[in-house]
Amino acid sequence: MSALIELKSVSRHYEQATGTVRAVDDISLSFFAGDFSVLAGSSGSGKTTLLNLIGGIDRPDPGEVLIDGISTHKKSESELANLRLQKIGFIFQSYNLLPVLTVYENVQFILQIRGIPNLSHADLILPVLKRLGLLELRDRFPSQLSGGQQQRVAIARAIVLKPAIVLADEPTANLDSETADNLLQLMQSLNQDDKVTFLFSSHDPEVIRRARTVIRLRDGKVIEIENR
Ligand SMILES: Nc1ncnc2c1ncn2[C@@H]1O[C@H](COP(=O)(O)OP(=O)(O)OP(=O)(O)O)[C@@H](O)[C@H]1O
Ligand SMILES: [Mg+2]
């Protein structure tokens, strides 16, 4: 089986007045369809930096990232953005919902960027909203939703076009434990029933407990990979 995402000796170093910060230091990893993995590690260990490299938001220096077998090495910014849009769903820690758009429109926005004909929008969006328990909230604005509801909209938006992999940076960080638990159950069932591939970053023990693969980072390096 070929990897959805492959990292080959990927590094990201920042030059600072105080010296070089090795945020990600020579990491090689592969992620496959169906994975439910977490990047774990303390604050500053490189989780967000690595997710940004995997998602093509940032470029490795040095190293190579392959998305679905395609090297992102020599891609222009716009080619990379296109590839990202096709293959990857993002759930950011702060959700990044657009405040002036309703729940429905926030999800629709992704379809518009991808140039999907309007005619098929409802057929794509409504089943996803239903799956995430958001159908009744479809006309509300983000400011009229709880944190957990906003997080579900962010998930809806990330999965609506059935990306190869969904990346989520600290998906439970802003949620109380009950909401976090419901959300994790939902992601687990999306993984099992709808074959959505997930990669999280988290230091939440509950996220780590539920993951099938735990990749532990320290000082930008992988120190342990645990497969369950
Ligand atoms: N733009 C930047 N310039 C300089 N240093 C940076 C930059 N971005 C991150 N770093 C440094 O790289 C290291 C890794 O940061 P990163 O944000 O990836 O950690 P993290 O594991 O996501 O932490 P947290 O759990 O707090 O979110 C840290 O030492 C951080 O200070
Ligand atoms: Mg982080």
Side-chain angles (χ1 to χ4, degrees), residues 43-211:
S43 180
S45 58
K47 304 182 295 295
T48 297
T49 307
L50 189 58
L51 271 189
N52 289 344
L53 293 173
I54 291 170
I57 289 179
D58 193 6
R59 288 174 186 269
D61 177 27
E64 193 180 5
V65 178
L66 292 100
I67 299 177
D68 230 358
I70 302 167
S71 174
T72 57
H73 210 48
K74 296 192 177 96
K75 296 247 174 266
S76 69
E77 285 308 317
S78 66
E79 285 172 331
L80 193 57
N82 257 329
L83 187 66
R84 197 163 63 213
L85 212 49
Q86 280 171 35
K87 305 281 186 189
I88 297 174
F90 270 103
I91 305 170
F92 296 97
Q93 192 177 333
S94 50
Y95 315 142
N96 283 8
L97 301 179
L98 295 162
V100 297
L101 300 183
T102 64
V103 166
Y104 185 92
E105 290 163 348
N106 261 283
V107 180
Q108 186 177 31
F109 185 62
I110 288 290
L111 308 187
Q112 286 165 338
I113 301 179
R114 279 281 299 278
I116 311 272
N118 273 345
L119 214 59
S120 55
H121 285 189
D123 289 343
L124 289 168
I125 297 167
L126 294 176
V128 173
L129 292 185
K130 182 158 189 274
R131 183 79 173 83
L132 295 175
L134 292 167
L135 220 40
E136 285 72 41
L137 304 176
R138 55 178 282 186
D139 294 323
R140 291 217 206 160
F141 293 95
S143 63
Q144 300 168 323
L145 300 174
S146 71
Q149 290 165 341
Q150 290 182 47
Q151 181 67 300
R152 278 184 292 166
V153 179
I155 298 174
R157 194 179 52 181
I159 66 172
V160 66
L161 280 174
K162 308 209 177 333
I165 187 165
V166 174
L167 307 179
D169 198 7
E170 307 269 1
T172 60
N174 302 322
L175 306 177
D176 63 70
S177 62
E178 194 185 329
T179 310
D181 202 55
N182 287 336
L183 197 87
L184 284 168
Q185 279 180 29
L186 183 67
M187 299 212 232
Q188 255 176 341
S189 71
L190 287 169
N191 175 253
Q192 279 159 18
D193 307 339
D194 305 69
K195 310 289 175 229
V196 182
T197 305
F198 283 100
L199 172 61
F200 306 114
S201 85
S202 189
H203 30 50
D204 179 350
E206 199 51 34
V207 178
I208 294 166
R209 189 178 70 77
R210 285 173 185 265

